[in-house]
Structure formats: C-alpha cells, structure tokens
Amino acid sequence: MTRFLEADGRYGIETTADVEPVLEHAKALHNEGRQHAPNGDQHLARIPIVVLNAWAQRRGVTYQDVMNNVRLLEEFLRDPDNGDFRVHKGDL
C-alpha cells in the first residue's frame, strides 16, 4: 500500500507491504530443497520490490542501481538481517 502523507507543510510517501507470504515461500522452497530453477540456475532469494527499494534508499542508491550492480545485490543477500529472504543459504 502506498500513502501520500502531509504534516506541518511537509509531504512524503509511505509504502508498506505484507512480506510474510514471501518469507514463508522462501523458507518452504529452502526446506523442500528447491534451491534451483528448472533451468539449473540457483534460486538465491525471494525479495519483494518494496523491501529492496527501502534497503537501497537507506544506502542512498536507487532500486535500479541495485539491479544493475551485482555487488549491491550481493551486499543485500549477505546481510544477516535479510537472511529470511534467502532460498539458497550457501555461498553466492
């Protein structure tokens, strides 16, 4: 959900999402051993866009920056705080 906020003449946008179903799906995929896509690629994680976007903003970059820079995405994936989004828990 995205809301437009106004207080004391200042404006902002707040985006929230229920990520619990995504976390449960990532955990289920891991527990079922489904850590590879049908084409053989590793299924590393299930990350909601709202989560990755918020993470990027806290680092002063954009979602697009993260999508175009594998180092930023790896930083997100290696952060223990984001571990519940991981399907493949091994080395990247």
Side-chain angles (χ1 to χ4, degrees):
M1 176 178 15
T2 301
R3 297 185 317 157
F4 181 74
L5 307 171
E6 186 275 325
D8 300 324
R10 300 182 74 197
Y11 301 93
I13 296 174
E14 176 183 72
T15 303
T16 59
D18 178 8
V19 300
E20 191 65 32
V22 175
L23 293 170
E24 290 174 5
H25 188 230
K27 182 177 182 177
L29 290 172
H30 173 76
N31 290 342
E32 294 166 11
R34 296 174 46 200
Q35 300 171 20
H36 288 87
N39 67 359
D41 289 345
Q42 282 185 340
H43 188 163
L44 295 177
R46 300 258 312 150
I47 309 167
I49 292 172
V50 66
V51 170
L52 198 55
N53 187 51
W55 180 87
Q57 286 179 346
R58 286 193 303 273
R59 276 149 187 77
V61 298
T62 66
Y63 173 84
Q64 194 63 38
D65 291 335
V66 176
M67 293 290 86
N68 290 324
N69 185 332
V70 71
R71 287 188 185 125
L72 286 171
L73 188 54
E74 285 178 353
E75 182 182 335
F76 176 91
L77 292 170
R78 291 180 196 280
D79 185 334
D81 290 341
N82 302 321
D84 290 341
F85 294 106
R86 298 272 308 262
V87 173
H88 174 73
K89 305 287 185 175
D91 290 335
L92 300 177

